[in-house]
Amino acid sequence: MTVERVALAVLPTPLQPMDRLGEQLGLPPGRLWVKRDDLTGLALGGNKARKLEYSVAEALAAGADTLVTGGAAQSNHVRMTAAAAARLGLSCVAVLTGTEPSTWEGNLLLSEMLGVQVRWAGSVDYAGLNAAITEAADIARQDGSRPYVLPVGGASLAGDLGYVTAAVELRRQLPDLALVVTADASGGTHAGLVAGLGDHRLVLGVDTGNRPDLLDAVPRMAADAARAAGLPTPTGSARLDREQIGGGYSQPTPAGRHALDLAARTEGLLLEPVYTAKAMASLLAHATRGRLPEGPVVFLHTGGYPELFIGHYNRWLRTAPAADRDHPPAVAAPSTEPTATW
Ligand SMILES: Cc1ncc(COP(=O)(O)O)c(C=O)c1O
């Protein structure tokens, strides 16, 4: 496969200490860090920018003039694919689940501003949405376009290579890193990091409830990404925390809410309910149980800010208990043990 890359992201992203958050957790300065992939640029940033650098390069190499992809109406991936298309003078078609809402907000509004052509797929599952994306590409082809398909959420081997490069960048910034904590949906970010770092034990993926087969998928994708990048097969076995899913994908959790408040009020760091708050909740749970490894621990901030501005989450974001508003909450202590152990 091609490993060409087109520059779309602002790189390297900063690595910043989180000593005030660490202090709340009884950790010494220099133990907790945040890798700011929310600052990758490309229409408000996020992990998809690094993935798009490789998948869009593949599209250009194939002579495509139209990117065809899809996801949920609030897909961060669709927003950033639309931005990449605009930057490169390509068209972008997005197939979205559900029907057109009465109000276009958050990622959906931004995708429209970026010029995406939206098709509504109705109530379809993951496989049904990928089929609808393929169908949209066929229609574009019949209309004389040269489409390139990015599957749901941009999950592809080419995309995973973006996080192989990110791992190399991170290792350069923090050579003795002991653990990276990241939110998992497709698991591509997790897999790419593992491939780049060479060891599953250095990455804790936090399952956000997007796909049920992560524990099988991540090692497979990591091995494929390592092979494609010319690196050895990663050692160890995959680490996954499945205790933060709560009611399911995109359903906010109380532990996520505590994590969101704590990060905001100790570090001025914004998280959102779907991915990063759940990942931070996992990090906090591991820290309070003394389950973090010795050495520097990095929280990968994968972005997702537009979700903060949709009405759906507004009430949840505004209804913290009054005591929590006045005083940052103590670290949440979920009743169950995380599945990952150290
Ligand atoms: C903000 C954010 N964080 C994390 C993820 C998870 O990334 P991956 O699909 O590579 O597991 C996504 C994917 O949708 C995302 O939008």
Side-chain angles (χ1 to χ4, degrees):
M1 68 163 293
T2 173
V3 287
E4 295 298 316
R5 173 180 182 184
V6 55
L8 291 170
V10 180
L11 300 177
T13 55
L15 179 74
Q16 297 171 339
M18 293 198 293
D19 290 345
R20 276 177 43 76
L21 177 59
E23 192 184 341
Q24 294 273 320
L25 301 168
L27 299 172
R31 262 314 269 301
L32 276 193
W33 298 79
V34 55
K35 175 73 170 157
R36 299 294 304 270
D37 274 16
D38 54 317
L39 301 180
T40 53
L42 201 61
L44 295 184
N47 61 336
K48 307 298 180 182
R50 290 186 189 267
K51 296 177 169 214
L52 285 161
E53 289 200 331
Y54 288 87
S55 42
V56 172
E58 208 170 64
L60 293 177
D65 62 6
T66 305
L67 303 180
V68 183
T69 193
Q74 284 303 324
S75 168
N76 292 303
H77 159 72
V78 166
R79 180 230 328 152
M80 299 188 79
T81 304
R87 278 268 291 273
L88 297 167
L90 306 173
S91 299
C92 183
V93 177
V95 185
L96 304 179
T97 53
T99 52
E100 183 176 346
S102 52
T103 311
W104 288 48
E105 53 186 355
N107 278 309
L108 180 58
L109 176 67
L110 299 178
S111 297
E112 187 191 40
M113 288 169 64
L114 292 161
V116 79
Q117 300 161 45
V118 171
R119 289 170 185 271
W120 296 98
S123 168
V124 287
D125 62 11
Y126 195 84
L129 183 57
N130 268 328
I133 293 170
T134 306
E135 198 183 314
D138 289 342
I139 293 169
R141 201 171 292 110
Q142 281 157 23
D143 291 347
S145 300
R146 296 186 303 279
Y148 174 90
V149 168
L150 296 97
V152 179
S156 70
L157 175 57
D160 298 348
L161 292 176
Y163 272 88
V164 179
T165 313
V168 174
E169 178 184 303
L170 178 56
R171 179 90 89 178
R172 204 172 293 134
Q173 290 172 317
L174 196 63
D176 59 341
L177 74 93
L179 183 70
V180 185
V181 180
T182 187
D184 278 6
S186 73
T189 299
H190 182 166
L193 286 171
V194 166
L197 295 172
D199 188 344
H200 279 282
R201 285 162 295 204
L202 292 177
V203 184
L204 171 64
V206 182
D207 193 343
T208 57
N210 187 262
R211 65 185 285 181
D213 62 338
L214 270 176
L215 257 190
D216 293 331
V218 166
R220 194 176 59 243
M221 293 190 295
D224 289 348
R227 196 174 314 112
L231 296 170
T233 304
T235 55
S237 47
R239 298 208 137 142
L240 191 66
D241 180 356
R242 302 203 72 240
E243 301 300 325
Q244 304 299 334
I245 298 173
Y249 179 64
S250 81
Q251 302 294 317
T253 61
R257 179 57 208 252
H258 283 296
L260 186 144
D261 285 350
L262 199 61
R265 294 168 196 194
T266 57
E267 296 291 346
L269 190 70
L270 294 174
L271 306 177
E272 47 63 55
V274 182
Y275 303 101
T276 48
K278 288 183 176 179
M280 183 62 88
S282 175
L283 192 160
L284 300 184
H286 281 77
T288 49
R289 295 193 177 104
R291 288 184 161 211
L292 292 178
E294 291 301 319
V297 173
V298 176
F299 176 77
L300 178 68
H301 196 316
T302 49
Y305 293 129
E307 292 149 30
L308 288 172
F309 302 101
I310 65 169
H312 182 70
Y313 293 126
N314 183 272
R315 215 153 72 92
W316 183 78
L317 287 165
R318 296 229 51 222
T319 50
D324 283 2
R325 286 171 196 265
D326 299 337
H327 309 287
V331 173
S335 54
T336 47
E337 290 288 300
T339 47
T341 52
W342 305 104

